[in-house]
Amino acid sequence: MMLSRVAEHFYWFGHYIERAENTARIILAESEMILDVPDVSHVRWRTLIETCGQAHTFDALDIGDDEASVLGFLLTDTRNPGSILQTVLFARENLRVIRDRVPRELSEALLRLRDHVKNKGAKSLQRSAARSAYLRGVIDLCQMFRGAVEGSMSRGPEYQFMRLGRMLERADMTTRVMDVRYDKLLPDTADNLAGLDEIQWVSALNSLSAFQMYRREVRGPVRALDVIEFLLHNHAFPRSLQFTLAASRDAAGLLPTPGPVCKALDSALTKIEGLSVASLSRDGDKLHKAIDNLQIAINGVHGSIHEAYFKPQ
Amino acid sequence: MGVPKKFAGLRQAGMYDELLNPARKNEPVASAILKFFGQLSPEEIEQARQAAALAIETMGISFTVYSQGDAIDRAWPFDIIPRVILQSEWTRIEAGLKQRVGALNQFIGDIYSDQQIVKDGVFPEWVLEKSVNFRPECVGVKPPHGVWSHICGSDLIRDAKGTTYVLEDNLRVPSGVSYMLENRGVMKRIFPQLFQNRTIQPVDAYPQQLYSTLADLAPGGKANPTIAVLTPGIYNSAYFEHSYLAQQMGVELVEGPDLTVDDKDRVFMRTIDGLRQVDVIYRRIDDMFLDPEVFHPDSILGTPGLMRAWKAGKVAIANAPGAGVADDKVVYAFVPDIIRYYCNEEPIIPNVPTWLCADPEQRDYVLKHLDEVVVKPANESGGYGLLVGPHASESQRKKTAVQIRKNPRNWIAQPCLNLSTVLTACEGGIAPRHVDLRPFILSAKKQAVTMGGLTRVAMREGSLVVNSSQGGGSKDTWIVQDGGGK
């Protein structure tokens, strides 16, 4: 027996932890990439906001898009529902509801993560060394949390809802990384410096911790279409769209009356498989449209989960 | 046997200490406890306090307080020195509590039907007319077994002479029982040796008894009914307890929006497998928030239609809506008469003498003696609005006097009793601190009383306020055989 509300809390719990970790990875990769860019005037910190899907909230606050403003917004600003601090606080609130259904280790790991992100002033994180240590700490503690989940949690509906939340959050992030990266690399950037293109795609892979795995699969220079192909279709890499949605399909299949959700996932998977990267070539519009379509499909999956399990009957 | 030299100086004239007084008469368990703590060095006591704090933290025992709009989980405050009550005394108290709650349940049922007690001139009508907890919506309802308050928490105190009184009856949604259960667990972890070779009555029958009490209420006597604990949610100060009790009983913890009532007045909860009918609800939400169709229309904590379902007998609600009519400090003053009226017996446990400010003569007395008495609002809980006359400032007393004159019905006063103490491990060493005791009484087909109850202790020197929301702590409570029998 599982209440719809409790199921929803597990689902969002999965989302929040994944989002905190992904946000940390993206900022870390971007910060490191920037060290390689010869002229920092080319750096657009705002890209990070777009990758995190928070442009709307950010613009409404009108706080300027320099480094300090952007990072403050993404790390510690509780007005940003996607900031690392706020996601962890959301997860903490969720834990109050689901605590009796999760192993104690998992609660403890989350409380450690909360302690790590709490009471960190935006100022103290402006120094890049401190920031980097902070972000690595977030990633480590999220990994520890996941270790507790994998190692000690029964594979009941609680686990499956959490996994669905995690995988869909991940899928979302991967689509946004492709989309935003591609946007910034279109050839019309006349002042584009030679080699910068490759640096940025390496950074894109890094932000999904995909660089090493990509290297093992694809040889030669890092090229946009190869990266897109890898992030869309690779069956083995755990952050590719193909993988995240197939894993979601597995999780959904283990829930009661899984029909509608599985159908939505099958349709999203069919779309991914049908997408030929070669045909997109370097036509930005085509790729944008294709990614838009995938995001619509992912939203459809989310909608079907909501409809099937969370919605007031 | 007796009181160790170390503690002999702690006995204060005109005070009753729950450990020192029995030990002076060579009561073996109190003597043994004093001996044990007397042998610990200050460092060892500090270590034990820290071990207890750590156990409480790892066991996740907490209560929630609010500070600047933030909900903060505070570790449950616990004192390491137990409080002892002899079995012979407890047997008498248990009987007294059953008698009292039995009479109160009859009273509530009478108030919502014929009001025979009013017609017979035993209980004055004016009390009901101005009662904020009388629910006209409940008139005519006949809950199963004639019981309205299925879970009652009555606060007991002992005065300087050693007499035990009932201070108040919490008939609505009393809390604290989870801490009673957890305190025993903590005590066993940090001082297992104290439990050896000694019969200390276990307390852990409560969750099962609570389950049986709730199951006995199922409509139509249904076997294996679906039971749910209804909580206002994670921001409630007692959320830990709601979650704990649901878990201990193996029932669902639901919030108002999890429930829905259909047009046949059946209650369902929303699950991932669809709707599932609920038979019994142990609600931890106040009446006024239960059902926006009937009470506060803007309450989002409750469920529309719940009262319909309850009145139609399709769901049982514990405690029954309206039970709070007897949870009024003005009604309290009449409880001895209520017991005599319904049971034809003398009350086993006395009431604390009470002045009703609604009565002009008694009000005059109270207003003239504000520096001697304790003044309480009739319908508050958690120690809010309380004035301890001798400890209050002149301006606090003036403020209360204004409020009494404005709405006399809403105020009662009692003599400032010297609450008994128990030696307590405080920051500056072991010292006596005032305590009370909240046992819980279950009523359905049968009655059951917790083995002892929750001992609450005012951690500040001289303070008489034991509520956790006001900085109070708690102790493990031992019911032991007379003569230390094994």
Side-chain angles (χ1 to χ4, degrees):
Chain A
M1 227 292 295
M2 189 175 200
L3 289 174
S4 297
R5 174 176 53 88
V6 173
E8 194 170 2
H9 276 77
F10 271 103
Y11 177 69
W12 283 106
F13 199 57
H15 268 286
Y16 292 138
I17 300 294
E18 184 69 20
R19 191 175 297 171
E21 182 182 341
N22 289 347
T23 305
R25 282 181 192 284
I26 280 172
I27 299 171
L28 200 57
E30 186 83 2
S31 306
E32 279 172 13
M33 180 202 73
I34 282 162
L35 299 177
D36 293 334
V37 177
D39 179 357
V40 284
S41 64
H42 288 287
V43 174
R44 288 181 69 242
W45 284 97
R46 203 193 131 80
T47 308
L48 279 173
I49 305 274
E50 285 159 17
T51 312
C52 292
Q54 297 296 348
H56 190 70
T57 317
F58 184 74
D59 293 341
L61 288 176
D62 195 19
I63 48 176
D65 52 11
D66 55 303
E67 177 178 356
S69 306
V70 166
L71 289 171
F73 177 78
L74 291 176
L75 297 180
T76 51
D77 196 334
T78 47
R79 293 172 300 180
N80 171 13
S83 73
I84 292 181
L85 176 61
Q86 191 55 49
T87 14
V88 173
L89 292 179
F90 280 145
R92 164 75 185 110
E93 292 292 87
N94 273 27
L95 179 69
R96 288 170 187 263
V97 171
I98 61 179
R99 181 156 48 190
D100 56 331
R101 287 174 178 255
V102 299
R104 181 164 276 173
E105 283 174 46
L106 199 148
S107 311
E108 282 170 14
L110 183 69
L111 293 181
R112 284 182 60 175
L113 176 60
R114 197 262 323 251
D115 291 343
H116 178 73
V117 298
K118 232 180 123 187
N119 304 324
K120 286 277 196 322
K123 273 239 164 64
S124 72
L125 298 175
Q126 276 179 15
R127 276 179 40 247
S128 63
R131 188 163 72 219
S132 162
Y134 166 84
L135 292 169
R136 282 179 204 286
V138 170
I139 296 168
D140 286 353
L141 288 164
C142 287
Q143 301 269 23
M144 183 176 145
F145 172 87
R146 189 147 52 249
V149 171
E150 294 304 318
S152 56
M153 195 165 160
S154 292
R155 268 45 173 174
E158 294 88 349
Y159 178 87
Q160 307 307 345
F161 277 112
M162 208 196 282
R163 186 166 163 225
L164 267 177
R166 186 198 330 147
M167 286 301 167
L168 291 178
E169 178 70 34
R170 197 180 276 183
D172 218 22
M173 185 59 98
T174 302
T175 56
R176 282 199 307 263
V177 166
M178 289 191 287
D179 200 22
V180 174
R181 236 0 125 193
Y182 211 86
D183 196 31
K184 298 298 162 277
L185 290 173
L186 292 178
D188 58 17
T189 49
D191 60 344
N192 207 347
L193 296 160
L196 204 54
D197 198 83
E198 181 163 349
I199 289 173
Q200 294 215 28
W201 280 103
V202 169
S203 161
L205 286 168
N206 274 331
S207 67
L208 298 168
S209 22
F211 183 62
Q212 255 188 302
M213 296 297 121
Y214 172 86
R215 266 290 185 234
R216 293 192 59 81
E217 294 270 330
V218 189
R219 318 250 166 217
V222 174
R223 290 183 311 138
L225 290 183
D226 291 343
V227 173
I228 301 269
E229 169 66 25
F230 181 80
L231 293 179
L232 274 178
H233 290 140
N234 192 283
H235 279 263
F237 181 67
R239 289 172 190 275
S240 78
L241 275 186
Q242 166 69 39
F243 185 99
T244 50
L245 293 182
S248 303
R249 175 76 171 73
D250 288 349
L254 295 166
L255 291 173
T257 50
V261 178
C262 287
K263 211 175 130 203
L265 278 161
D266 286 338
S267 130
L269 278 164
T270 312
K271 275 189 189 155
I272 293 170
E273 279 151 22
L275 204 60
S276 152
V277 173
S279 79
L280 298 174
S281 86
R282 291 207 67 164
D283 180 341
D285 275 350
K286 265 193 189 166
L287 185 86
H288 276 309
K289 269 201 194 107
I291 288 180
D292 270 354
N293 258 328
L294 293 180
Q295 278 172 343
I296 290 167
I298 293 170
N299 281 339
V301 174
H302 172 75
S304 71
I305 295 171
H306 186 86
E307 183 76 20
Y309 301 111
F310 309 150
K311 202 189 73 164
Q313 289 130 341
Chain B
M1 289 289 188
V3 177
K5 269 210 184 97
K6 196 171 176 178
F7 298 136
L10 292 177
R11 226 183 121 251
Q12 290 162 285
M15 292 274 204
Y16 185 93
D17 189 276
E18 308 270 345
L19 288 171
L20 293 173
N21 285 48
R24 263 166 57 87
K25 292 185 179 158
N26 290 327
E27 192 285 309
V29 180
S31 303
I33 289 173
L34 290 180
K35 186 177 167 204
F36 177 83
F37 283 96
Q39 283 167 349
L40 297 180
S41 68
E43 292 74 33
E44 284 169 316
I45 288 184
E46 189 47 38
Q47 276 166 15
R49 278 172 47 128
Q50 282 173 13
L54 187 68
I56 284 164
E57 209 184 308
T58 10
M59 290 161 83
I61 312 167
S62 62
F63 70 106
T64 311
V65 288
Y66 304 93
S67 162
Q68 296 154 0
D70 228 5
I72 302 162
D73 283 336
R74 283 236 188 107
W76 174 247
F78 172 78
D79 178 65
I80 56 174
I81 305 180
R83 182 248 191 100
V84 173
I85 300 171
L86 295 182
Q87 180 69 61
S88 57
E89 184 182 14
W90 186 248
T91 306
R92 193 182 64 83
I93 290 177
E94 211 181 301
L97 291 168
K98 285 180 177 171
Q99 176 198 50
R100 189 174 177 98
V101 175
L104 281 167
N105 272 311
Q106 290 190 56
F107 169 75
I108 304 168
D110 189 10
I111 289 301
Y112 287 119
S113 55
D114 304 333
Q115 303 201 341
Q116 201 57 46
I117 192 169
V118 179
K119 290 176 189 156
D120 289 340
V122 176
F123 187 82
E125 196 163 13
W126 64 262
V127 179
L128 288 181
E129 278 163 9
K130 296 243 170 100
S131 164
V132 295
N133 290 318
F134 178 77
R135 306 265 171 267
E137 298 84 357
C138 299
V139 172
V141 179
K142 303 273 177 212
H145 316 295
V147 174
W148 292 72
S149 184
H150 311 89
I151 299 104
C152 170
S154 290
D155 293 345
L156 305 178
I157 54 167
R158 200 200 293 272
D159 70 0
K161 292 187 187 117
T163 310
T164 298
Y165 298 89
V166 178
L167 182 65
E168 61 181 59
D169 304 288
N170 297 282
L171 299 150
R172 288 177 278 186
V173 283
S175 58
V177 76
S178 58
Y179 304 114
M180 172 195 90
L181 296 164
E182 292 284 60
N183 283 356
R184 179 59 55 87
V186 173
M187 203 63 193
K188 282 180 174 168
R189 273 196 195 197
I190 53 170
F191 292 128
Q193 64 273 44
L194 268 175
F195 289 80
Q196 276 159 17
N197 304 320
R198 172 166 301 135
T199 312
I200 297 156
Q201 294 291 350
V203 294
D204 50 13
Y206 184 80
Q208 186 52 48
Q209 287 171 337
L210 176 60
Y211 182 91
S212 306
T213 302
L214 295 171
D216 279 349
L217 306 177
K222 185 174 173 185
N224 295 318
T226 301
I227 300 175
V229 176
L230 175 60
T231 174
I234 57 172
Y235 297 109
N236 188 272
S237 61
Y239 181 76
F240 166 80
E241 174 155 307
H242 307 161
S243 164
Y244 176 89
L245 289 175
Q247 211 183 326
Q248 292 287 312
M249 291 191 286
V251 305
E252 286 309 312
L253 179 65
V254 303
E255 295 179 13
D258 293 329
L259 300 177
T260 177
V261 182
D262 74 356
D263 51 10
K264 292 188 181 116
D265 298 333
R266 293 173 303 178
V267 181
F268 294 90
M269 51 186 171
R270 309 177 208 275
T271 82
I272 57 169
D273 298 288
L275 293 176
R276 182 155 165 190
Q277 195 174 352
V278 180
D279 305 303
V280 182
I281 297 172
Y282 176 23
R283 53 101 173 203
R284 296 294 298 256
I285 293 183
D286 281 334
D287 283 356
M288 294 313 282
F289 297 96
L290 265 182
D291 181 352
E293 276 183 11
V294 179
F295 302 119
H296 286 327
D298 48 354
S299 166
I300 47 162
L301 299 177
T303 307
L306 212 49
M307 283 295 284
R308 269 195 276 130
W310 175 65
K311 287 168 110 169
K314 300 283 178 68
V315 72
I317 299 181
N319 291 347
V325 67
D327 186 341
D328 172 318
K329 293 187 177 69
V330 178
V331 175
Y332 165 86
F334 292 93
V335 174
D337 294 332
I338 288 173
I339 294 174
R340 289 181 199 108
Y341 179 77
Y342 293 106
C343 308
N344 238 333
E345 292 168 3
E346 274 306 300
I348 299 172
I349 315 172
N351 253 18
V352 177
T354 302
W355 294 283
L356 300 176
C357 295
D359 178 288
E361 246 171 70
Q362 299 184 37
R363 178 168 65 239
D364 277 352
Y365 179 88
V366 170
L367 288 170
K368 276 187 194 130
H369 295 84
L370 273 182
D371 55 342
E372 292 169 22
V373 299
V374 179
V375 183
K376 296 174 177 179
N379 287 302
E380 288 287 344
S381 58
Y384 294 101
L386 187 84
L387 177 91
V388 182
H391 299 180
S393 68
E394 190 53 40
S395 77
Q396 284 171 317
R397 286 199 286 262
K398 273 192 180 139
K399 239 165 121 188
T400 304
V402 170
Q403 285 175 303
I404 293 176
R405 288 201 180 91
K406 211 162 113 197
N407 184 7
R409 160 68 179 82
N410 197 34
W411 296 90
I412 60 135
Q414 291 169 337
C416 189
L417 296 182
N418 233 337
L419 258 58
S420 66
T421 58
V422 180
L423 291 193
T424 298
C426 306
E427 298 220 340
I430 291 178
R433 290 288 182 267
H434 294 293
V435 294
D436 77 350
L437 178 69
R438 177 177 286 184
F440 294 84
I441 306 97
L442 297 172
S443 314
K445 243 184 237 167
K446 293 182 293 189
Q447 286 185 305
V449 180
T450 45
M451 191 50 79
L454 178 67
T455 292
R456 300 185 297 177
V457 50
M459 297 301 280
R460 262 176 299 134
E461 187 173 0
S463 168
L464 296 169
V465 184
V466 295
N467 307 78
S468 59
S469 51
Q470 316 273 330
S474 71
K475 284 170 172 287
D476 190 18
T477 308
W478 292 3
I479 306 299
V480 300
Q481 294 296 315
D482 297 56
K486 298 200 172 142

